[in-house]
Amino acid sequence: MFLQDNIMLFVFLVFFICGMLFVDKFASAYNIKNYLKNCAPLLVVSTGLTYVVLNGGIDFSTTSIISLGSVLGAHLLVESPLAGTPLAVPLTILIIVGIGLAFGVVNGLAVSRLKMPSFVATLSTQLIGAGLAVWFGSILFEGAVSLGGLPEAFRAIGGRGMFWLPILIATVIFVIFNWMLCKTVFGKQIYAIGVNPRTAEVSGVPVKKNIFLLFVISGGLAGVASIIYTAKNGAGVPTMGDAMFIDIVGSVVIGGTDPAGGFGGVKNTLYGVLFLTLVSNILNLMGIEWFYVDLIKGALVIAAAVLNLIFKNLGARGRA
Amino acid sequence: MRKVTAVVLTIAMSLALAACGGKAEDTVTTEESGKTEEAENYTIGVAVDTLDTQFWIANYQAIKDRAEELGNITLVEAIASADANVQNQQIEDFIAQDVDAVICMASDGAAIAAAVDECNEAGIPIIMNNRPVVEGTADPDAQVLSDNKQMAYEEMKWFIEKSKEEGKSYKCLMLVGNLGDGNAVERRDGYQAAVDEFGEGVVEIVLSVPTEWDHEVALAGLQSGLASNPDIDMMILPSDFLWEPVQTALTEVGKWAPIGEENHVACISFDGDETGRQMMADGYCWADAAQSAALQGETCVDTALSLIKGESLPSRDIKDSGLLVTCDNFEEVKDSF
């Protein structure tokens, strides 16, 4: 039973050990440090998405929250009247998280109150957010599309000078949201809604309120991820999140959370994040020619997904 | 359960074998170079933005050819697919591999500063290839660049003088690349400076269309620009990469015609790649500011080698002054770019 629930942990460990044994420089302190640093923001945003996927939904807007937060954050820190003041960093953090929460509120209302499919609602807000990011970038960045020169105090959040800080932030978020899912009534209600929302409603679960909250959580955590990504790259980039969705949703699904909802969890997403980031890291370290990297990465991800499926089926048969 | 365990182990074994394979290749390279001379072997990480333009393909090929020619250089490569965050991670992986130098075609001139800082801290020389770091954000060891602003300025100046000789005047649409790319900004500034200085009564830039170096974005901007300004009879392309959307947009409005024909729209371009050469040969392009992709690639490798050996450079920025190819000199110079 433990192996069935944690198969991706097992796969990750096998790969990690192989990396330690066979991949030159993989075990170096510098590489392990960077590997964990790269896992951190992906874990944060994927944790939020996990809540939505457990409900059988999807949140495309996470990527545009990352981009929009990046643009507005960089502007506030470098070019606005706030720049250089002691309040610049804390206020910027609050504003970026606020942007994520605002998107979450809009998504949550659209899905829970207006009964829009999450696919449609969040695709719309994703497009709006991506458009706003580029638009604000063109207005705010005085002729350039990206903006660097972020203050060191903000860049520390991305690990500059304090590599452990993004890892600590991601760990705290993981622990809190894993606990919420596993140990609270709210968490159990999310699983109940994911399995069958009608039954959950009949049982007295506040379905609309909970669905609304799921999107607020997802948006808020995407805002936190935006802060880490922007700090890590030391620049506001309007297209920062554009190519990230595959990794975000890939971490959730490969980790073992069922896209149809009701099965999985934040713990599984952690495995997915560790595995996907590990594969990229190992392939880069092996110096494999770039056109093979995507092929190998795709094949390994398929293999991991198949393993996951096999173990699930074995579990189902065992229970039958 | 045994079958499943077997599958896991097979994947793990494949990974292990692949890892061993990579190491074997390194050994062969070392042995080969050992035969030629007793030169020290070096590893250079090449961070590639994308390989979707002829310029980048030619530039990257030149890096590989030069490394092979020198014999004692092993290249490790990574492609970022235009994702600045991915590129920074890839350069961190180069540092973890203890490469001796990094050659970087930056995805974003501001975001790459984080990777440049990492290289500086690790004591690994980083050479920016064709795209500079945004001034003041970080300090790369060297930048091999086209003299974009000057080349654009000279090209536009030539076009204005030519137009004056022919007694013509133009209303111009200027395409602009991604403004996160210092090259795009410099080219725009060079064209604009020449128009401001010499273009009064000859060339008027009536519209600037941002392209983000994306065909779809460029085409949408061109279509709406030509619809709202039907009297446009000149275009500035900041890269030969943009000929495709320009051709599509002009064909749609019946203005894709070579020099001398009634509906001709005068175009000048930048890069001097195969597409640009063809457009010059076919008579659609008046001038092309040709930068040497191969020369810049080779210079990056040579510069990396100098920096690895601890030699000092005459200046951090190494400029390729390029070649102005015009419809007047094309036949003479067509084989030299």
Side-chain angles (χ1 to χ4, degrees):
Chain A
M1 189 65 186
F2 175 80
L3 197 58
Q4 283 158 13
D5 286 346
N6 299 281
I7 178 61
M8 278 313 295
L9 175 63
F10 178 59
V11 174
F12 160 73
L13 287 173
V14 170
F15 272 69
F16 192 85
I17 292 164
C18 284
M20 298 284 271
L21 293 175
F22 301 113
V23 180
D24 195 25
K25 311 286 184 194
F26 175 80
S28 70
Y30 181 87
N31 185 58
I32 298 295
K33 185 182 77 178
N34 276 331
Y35 165 65
L36 293 174
K37 215 166 69 174
N38 289 333
C39 287
L42 184 59
L43 178 60
V44 173
V45 64
S46 303
T47 295
L49 183 66
T50 307
Y51 272 68
V52 175
V53 173
L54 278 172
N55 176 241
I58 191 73
D59 185 355
F60 289 112
S61 68
T62 50
T63 55
S64 57
I65 292 169
I66 291 169
S67 300
L68 189 57
S70 180
V71 170
L72 293 178
H75 170 68
L76 288 168
L77 289 164
V78 179
E79 291 178 333
S80 75
L82 198 63
T85 66
L87 285 176
V89 173
L91 273 181
T92 299
I93 290 170
L94 287 177
I95 288 169
I96 296 177
V97 174
I99 291 166
L101 291 172
F103 269 75
V105 167
V106 173
N107 289 333
L109 288 175
V111 176
S112 65
R113 303 290 164 179
L114 303 178
K115 303 285 180 198
M116 284 174 75
S118 60
F119 187 96
V120 176
T122 63
L123 187 60
S124 309
T125 47
Q126 188 271 331
L127 290 170
I128 291 168
L132 283 175
V134 174
W135 187 49
F136 282 138
S138 64
I139 293 171
L140 298 174
F141 289 174
E142 295 177 355
V145 161
S146 54
L147 181 64
L150 306 188
E152 290 295 312
F154 185 79
R155 289 185 69 183
I157 300 169
R160 183 164 167 77
M162 290 193 272
F163 80 92
W164 47 267
L165 189 52
I167 301 165
L168 178 69
I169 294 169
T171 306
V172 169
I173 284 171
F174 168 77
V175 169
I176 291 171
F177 284 89
N178 189 47
W179 171 80
M180 246 166 69
L181 206 54
C182 300
K183 302 289 182 188
T184 67
V185 175
F186 174 62
K188 292 183 191 343
Q189 288 176 346
I190 289 171
Y191 282 106
I193 297 169
V195 172
N196 191 329
R198 280 180 189 278
T199 315
E201 195 156 25
V202 170
S203 310
V205 173
V207 174
K208 282 183 186 171
K209 184 182 133 197
N210 282 354
I211 290 177
F212 171 77
L213 286 175
L214 299 180
F215 284 95
V216 175
I217 289 170
S218 178
L221 289 184
V224 177
S226 174
I227 293 166
I228 302 176
Y229 277 122
T230 306
K232 182 171 168 289
N233 288 291
V237 183
T239 53
M240 176 81 78
D242 281 10
M244 288 180 185
F245 196 69
I246 296 294
D247 277 353
I248 298 169
V249 79
S251 301
V252 175
V253 175
I254 288 161
T257 296
D258 191 339
F263 181 85
V266 174
K267 183 184 68 178
N268 299 75
T269 298
L270 171 67
Y271 303 155
V273 168
L274 291 172
F275 176 71
L276 265 187
T277 313
L278 181 72
V279 168
S280 296
N281 180 242
I282 285 179
L283 292 176
N284 285 342
L285 287 181
M286 285 163 62
I288 291 175
E289 288 199 69
W290 64 268
F291 39 84
Y292 293 128
V293 170
D294 283 347
L295 287 175
I296 296 171
K297 196 172 168 183
L300 288 174
V301 168
I302 287 175
V306 168
L307 267 178
N308 219 343
L309 205 63
I310 292 170
F311 267 82
K312 256 193 205 172
N313 290 339
L314 279 176
R317 263 190 239 162
R319 283 191 286 276
Chain B
M1 183 62 77
R2 273 184 196 166
K3 282 182 187 169
V4 174
T5 311
V7 174
V8 175
L9 289 175
T10 307
I11 295 168
M13 290 282 284
S14 309
L15 182 70
L17 284 171
C20 293
K23 282 182 177 177
E25 196 176 312
D26 289 349
T27 312
V28 170
T29 311
T30 308
E31 283 167 8
E32 280 173 358
S33 56
K35 280 177 200 169
T36 51
E37 56 181 273
E38 286 187 4
E40 202 170 336
N41 293 294
Y42 302 111
T43 303
I44 297 177
V46 185
V48 181
D49 174 28
T50 61
L51 287 178
D52 60 3
T53 70
Q54 287 174 4
F55 177 85
W56 285 125
I57 292 167
N59 176 281
Y60 182 51
Q61 190 57 48
I63 290 173
K64 291 206 283 192
D65 291 347
R66 182 67 179 146
E68 198 177 330
E69 188 185 329
L70 291 169
N72 61 337
I73 290 176
T74 303
L75 297 178
V76 288
E77 54 193 358
I79 186 160
S81 301
D83 188 325
N85 180 53
V86 168
Q87 185 164 65
N88 285 347
Q89 288 181 16
Q90 289 170 338
I91 293 175
E92 285 171 355
D93 289 339
F94 285 157
I95 296 170
Q97 289 175 75
D98 269 341
V99 296
D100 297 294
V102 173
I103 294 173
C104 175
M105 311 169 185
S107 293
D108 183 281
I112 198 64
V116 172
D117 286 343
E118 288 275 335
C119 285
N120 290 161
E121 281 165 23
I124 295 173
I126 179 164
I127 298 98
M128 307 309 298
N129 181 6
N130 188 264
R131 287 182 179 165
V133 176
V134 171
E135 199 59 42
T137 57
D139 190 19
D141 296 270
Q143 305 195 109
V144 178
L145 309 169
S146 295
D147 200 348
N148 288 287
K149 190 171 177 181
Q150 189 62 29
M151 286 165 71
Y153 176 87
E154 294 293 341
E155 185 184 20
M156 178 54 86
K157 186 180 164 192
W158 172 87
F159 182 81
I160 291 169
E161 282 168 359
K162 181 86 177 166
S163 302
K164 281 180 181 169
E165 280 172 22
E166 296 183 351
K168 289 180 181 170
S169 64
Y170 294 95
K171 291 201 179 302
C172 174
L173 181 153
M174 177 160 66
L175 292 164
V176 181
N178 182 338
L179 294 178
D181 170 9
N183 291 345
V185 176
E186 286 186 6
R187 289 172 201 175
R188 178 198 62 184
D189 292 349
Y191 288 126
Q192 188 68 57
V195 170
D196 292 345
E197 202 172 329
F198 309 105
E200 195 177 347
V202 183
V203 172
E204 181 191 1
I205 297 176
V206 294
L207 190 63
S208 277
V209 173
T211 69
E212 296 169 35
W213 294 137
D214 183 300
H215 278 180
E216 290 302 318
V217 175
L219 182 57
L222 281 164
Q223 286 166 330
S224 53
L226 288 168
S228 56
N229 298 276
D231 53 347
I232 281 172
D233 53 4
M234 183 196 169
M235 283 192 188
I236 299 170
L237 288 71
S239 167
D240 286 331
F241 169 70
L242 293 168
W243 274 110
E244 195 178 305
V246 165
Q247 181 176 356
T248 305
L250 288 177
T251 303
E252 283 172 2
V253 294
K255 289 186 174 179
W256 180 248
I259 297 168
E261 289 195 9
E262 193 184 346
N263 283 335
H264 172 67
V265 171
C267 294
I268 61 172
S269 186
F270 204 102
D271 275 347
D273 70 14
E274 276 307 313
T275 309
R277 185 196 302 269
Q278 195 58 49
M279 290 300 166
M280 292 290 307
D282 294 347
Y284 290 96
C285 183
W286 285 74
D288 203 351
Q291 48 180 349
S292 174
L295 177 67
Q296 289 182 26
E298 287 168 12
T299 306
C300 282
V301 178
D302 292 340
T303 306
L305 207 53
S306 298
L307 289 166
I308 292 168
K309 289 176 179 169
E311 296 166 5
S312 57
L313 304 173
S315 79
R316 186 193 71 167
D317 291 356
I318 300 157
K319 298 249 175 156
D320 166 16
S321 55
L323 175 68
L324 178 57
V325 183
T326 69
C327 52
D328 291 340
N329 70 2
F330 178 67
E331 287 303 321
E332 290 167 42
V333 301
K334 65 182 179 185
D335 295 325
S336 54
F337 71 101

